[in-house]
Amino acid sequence: GCDMKANVWDMRSGQNIQSFESHESDINCVKYYPSGDAFASASDDATCRFYDLRADREVAVFQKDSIIFGASSVDFSLSGRLLFTGYNDYTINVWDVLKGTRVSILFGHENRISRVRVSPDGTALCSASWDNSLRIWA
């Protein structure tokens, strides 16, 4: 949220059961890892962060000095090996979750990315942008 915290809530009790406070600006998106044991967050601080719910801690930060614009959206590949992140600089960065490195940058939009989503069968990525377009990356 805008308080820079990612909170995990127990839907049965309505209680906050975990809180992660490592971002330095608003959090725009969260996405569970395919196993459900972790999640990623995207923030206006130009980072994506990866949290392990079992260990109750942050385990990775995805960032580059060259990325100065906020991250708006994240989604995982079906296997969880790749993390796709849409940014306000009109790009999509692809991160290797295990190595913590950027493996690719997708260019093509002409305005900020508002959403990225992997297809249910894992064969394509869809991105939505403020340029009024959807792009399918396969």
Side-chain angles (χ1 to χ4, degrees):
C2 294
D3 60 359
M4 301 178 280
K5 296 178 187 175
N7 293 308
V8 180
W9 297 84
D10 183 330
M11 292 176 52
R12 295 165 296 205
S13 69
Q15 298 295 313
N16 179 357
I17 57 172
Q18 284 177 295
S19 187
F20 301 92
E21 301 181 27
S22 54
H23 277 293
E24 297 174 6
S25 191
D26 297 355
I27 297 172
N28 297 313
C29 183
V30 294
K31 179 67 177 189
Y32 272 107
Y33 189 70
S35 69
D37 295 326
F39 72 94
S41 59
S43 171
D44 281 341
D45 66 11
T47 69
C48 291
R49 295 175 187 265
F50 188 60
Y51 303 94
D52 187 316
L53 296 169
R54 297 164 299 175
D56 194 32
R57 68 180 201 92
E58 177 185 292
V59 293
V61 179
F62 303 99
Q63 66 183 7
K64 287 276 192 189
D65 289 341
S66 60
I67 300 173
I68 59 172
F69 292 91
S72 57
S73 182
V74 291
D75 201 6
F76 288 100
S77 63
L78 284 186
S79 69
R81 179 69 188 258
L82 300 176
L83 177 65
F84 299 94
T85 306
Y87 288 87
N88 293 338
D89 67 354
Y90 319 164
T91 65
I92 299 164
N93 283 250
V94 184
W95 303 93
D96 183 312
V97 174
L98 294 178
K99 295 180 180 179
T101 58
R102 182 170 60 188
V103 295
S104 184
I105 304 173
L106 303 175
F107 298 96
H109 282 292
E110 297 176 4
N111 207 324
R112 65 178 55 180
I113 309 296
S114 54
R115 185 75 166 106
V116 294
R117 180 69 192 243
V118 173
S119 65
D121 66 1
T123 61
L125 175 75
C126 181
S127 57
S129 169
W130 285 29
D131 65 9
N132 297 315
S133 72
L134 292 173
R135 291 185 179 260
I136 307 296
W137 311 83

